[in-house]
Amino acid sequence: MKTIEHWIGGSPTLSSATATQPVYNPATGAEQARVVLGGAADVDAAVQAATAAFETWSESSLTQRTQVMFAFRQLLVEHEEELGRIISAEHGKTVDDARGEIVRGREVVEFACGLGDILKGGFSDQVSRGVDVHNFRQPLGVVAGITPFNFPAMVPLWMHPIAIATGNTFILKPSERDPSAATFVAELYQRAGLPDGVFNVVHGGKDAVDAILTHSGIHAVSFVGSTPIARYVHERATAHGKRVQALGGAKNHAVVLPDADLEFAANHITAGAYGSAGERCMALSVAVAVGSAADGLVEVLERKAREVKVGPGDAPGTEMGPLVTKAAQERVENAVGTAATQGATVVVDGRGLKVDGHESGFFTGPSLLDHVTAEMDAYREELFGPVLAIVRVDTLDEAIELINANPYGNGTALFTGSGEAARRFQRKVGVGMIGINVPVPVPMSYYSFGGWKDSLIGDSPIHGPEGIRFYTRPKVVTTRWPQPRQQVAAGFSFPTAG
């Protein structure tokens, strides 16, 4: 049985603790590896390695750091298929979907390759007689990322390329459910020329997380996961003096107006709801059908949900793989049953699906629920599975009110042919990321990713310009260079320009 170890100081490292946890193949239900579960001692070892590496890495030239990023980016291209299959085997998503997350993560690496222009400071000449002012940004030190199972490559890639390119050293605590991608990325960094200790991986559960949140040698923590854990991370880490990015859960709505092309809308909503088995923080989990659009939309969504090809992630033609664990499968199927007892119409029932040759896999089919109300569990809870709930309203303003009353504010979409409706929607809706005829509005790497309300705890979005600010701090330098033997009088009152 393979054992997945930490990566500390440039090499695989066994945990100081003896605890391990199984890693499953979701398509078969079989245990395929065991991952070590680290604790405070392992985090401390990673901090020591990262602290030592920071002394030289923080003083390296911007050219050296971007050269490493260019090389790392090329290795991600060359090994996209291999990394995609590693992700698929542990997460369950299709290999094509896994390759897609690698590409989106690689875009942040490309953004990091161009930091030379972004990190340029400002200079003000002669702000006072003989006095100039300039500013620049410096890295924080050792920083850490705690990332979820649903994007084992992409979400960490939202963090560490920017942190490392700006001169920090990094400790990643990936999900213990699909940990192998993190180690593979560490090996690619080493091949790209990144010095040992700049990028480290510590596996584990809550013990490792708590050690990261409280260790005095870690200066910032980035987190993506559920809202309750995001609150915990934010409160615990800030209490220990750290900067925190904490991205939480979501309940994303797609609003469909009567003037929308229903075939187009249903195509994209189906992909947004059932892609990656709905295990995305930007998945569409609610379709809001406005007025006369409702019956036609349900009809098309039903047809398309029944056409989704479910199977192993590495099988040709598969569009949706299994859920990540048996517990996730049971939770999602129980939610469909609860929706039925609470009055929802189960238009498509994905429960009890068996895939030939993979009967022990964690599969469930797409489920489509109609006549869902805001009081039902299927609407209120983040199901994180292939379940799409349809809520019927009479007007666009009602749809906006529904979305704004929801505690989450991550992403939303509007399907319409009306520019006026689109403009009203994007200005009035209280959500951080909005798509107009775009189902999953994840922004490009040179914009920042982050929602509103319970989807973002604190005020620090991730990657893009906000990422640069998060991993650096500014210095402002005021200088005067008097001529030799020139006497400059000093005043005892508060200094002013003049």
Side-chain angles (χ1 to χ4, degrees), residues 478-495:
T478 304
T479 60
R480 172 188 285 139
W481 297 103
Q483 297 177 9
R485 296 178 299 279
Q486 178 186 8
Q487 296 299 316
V488 179
F492 287 86
S493 59
F494 195 81

Side-chain angles (χ1 to χ4, degrees), residues 62 111-112 114-121 137 446 464-465 468:
L62 185 58
F111 176 72
L115 288 190
D117 182 65
I118 300 169
L119 286 177
K120 286 190 302 187
R137 304 189 72 87
Y446 36 84
I468 301 295

Side-chain angles (χ1 to χ4, degrees), residues 356-368:
D356 290 343
H358 294 78
E359 287 78 9
S360 296
F362 310 140
F363 292 96
T364 188
S367 290
L368 180 64

Side-chain angles (χ1 to χ4, degrees), residues 48-101:
Q48 291 183 43
T51 300
F54 179 74
E55 294 300 316
T56 52
W57 182 247
S58 62
E59 294 297 326
S60 63
S61 69
L62 185 58
T63 298
Q64 179 186 351
R65 299 200 298 268
T66 54
Q67 283 176 343
V68 169
M69 284 298 149
F70 274 111
F72 176 59
R73 184 255 177 212
Q74 183 58 34
L75 288 169
L76 284 173
V77 172
E78 294 172 3
H79 294 275
E80 182 181 297
E81 178 73 17
E82 184 178 0
L83 180 54
R85 291 189 177 279
I86 289 171
I87 294 167
S88 177
E90 291 185 349
H91 175 279
K93 66 176 64 177
T94 67
V95 174
D96 282 346
D97 194 22
R99 285 198 298 255
E101 76 159 274

Side-chain angles (χ1 to χ4, degrees), residues 49-51 53-54 57 141-144 163-164 167-171 197-200:
T51 300
F54 179 74
W57 182 247
V142 180
V143 299
I164 291 170
N168 300 278
T169 54
F170 197 90
I171 299 170
V198 176
F199 180 77
N200 306 273

Side-chain angles (χ1 to χ4, degrees), residues 28-335:
T28 65
E31 181 180 339
Q32 59 183 336
R34 298 195 72 86
V35 60
V36 298
L37 297 179
D42 302 293
V43 170
D44 186 63
V47 171
Q48 291 183 43
T51 300
F54 179 74
E55 294 300 316
T56 52
W57 182 247
S58 62
E59 294 297 326
S60 63
S61 69
L62 185 58
T63 298
Q64 179 186 351
R65 299 200 298 268
T66 54
Q67 283 176 343
V68 169
M69 284 298 149
F70 274 111
F72 176 59
R73 184 255 177 212
Q74 183 58 34
L75 288 169
L76 284 173
V77 172
E78 294 172 3
H79 294 275
E80 182 181 297
E81 178 73 17
E82 184 178 0
L83 180 54
R85 291 189 177 279
I86 289 171
I87 294 167
S88 177
E90 291 185 349
H91 175 279
K93 66 176 64 177
T94 67
V95 174
D96 282 346
D97 194 22
R99 285 198 298 255
E101 76 159 274
I102 296 165
V103 171
R104 292 308 303 266
R106 196 173 70 220
E107 290 170 358
V108 179
V109 181
E110 293 163 357
F111 176 72
C113 288
L115 288 190
D117 182 65
I118 300 169
L119 286 177
K120 286 190 302 187
F123 184 91
S124 296
D125 174 70
Q126 196 76 351
V127 297
S128 186
R129 285 189 297 273
V131 177
D132 306 322
V133 177
H134 71 279
N135 71 312
F136 59 97
R137 304 189 72 87
Q138 288 187 309
L140 302 178
V142 180
V143 299
I146 302 167
T147 56
F149 76 88
N150 58 329
F151 288 102
M154 185 185 74
V155 170
L157 282 165
W158 285 356
M159 302 173 184
H160 53 73
I162 295 176
I164 291 170
T166 52
N168 300 278
T169 54
F170 197 90
I171 299 170
L172 173 62
K173 206 302 287 182
S175 170
E176 59 274 26
R177 298 178 189 175
D178 43 11
S180 293
T183 304
F184 190 84
V185 166
E187 293 169 353
L188 295 186
Y189 262 132
Q190 189 174 64
R191 291 175 56 183
L194 189 69
D196 293 344
V198 176
F199 180 77
N200 306 273
V201 179
V202 176
H203 299 291
K206 187 175 185 299
D207 287 347
V209 169
D210 284 342
I212 288 170
L213 302 182
T214 58
H215 198 293
S216 60
I218 296 174
H219 300 284
V221 176
S222 301
F223 172 84
V224 176
S226 69
T227 293
I229 305 302
R231 290 192 188 281
Y232 175 80
V233 167
H234 189 271
E235 291 170 5
R236 193 88 187 268
T238 54
H240 285 81
K242 305 182 194 315
R243 289 187 180 184
V244 181
Q245 291 171 322
L247 280 66
K251 197 70 178 178
N252 304 314
H253 302 68
V255 178
V256 181
L257 296 186
D259 69 340
D261 181 327
L262 294 186
E263 193 76 16
F264 175 89
N267 258 335
H268 288 280
I269 292 171
T270 299
Y274 304 129
S276 197
E279 293 173 320
R280 296 171 174 166
C281 66
M282 290 292 284
L284 290 176
S285 55
V286 181
V288 184
V290 178
S292 60
D295 290 339
L297 179 65
V298 173
E299 180 182 342
V300 184
L301 284 173
E302 177 183 1
R303 169 166 50 86
K304 294 188 179 298
R306 296 188 187 281
E307 292 172 351
V308 174
K309 298 179 179 63
V310 182
D314 60 355
T318 295
E319 295 174 318
M320 190 181 98
L323 291 166
V324 68
T325 63
K326 183 69 173 176
Q329 177 196 38
E330 293 172 349
R331 176 177 48 77
V332 168
E333 295 197 348
N334 288 339

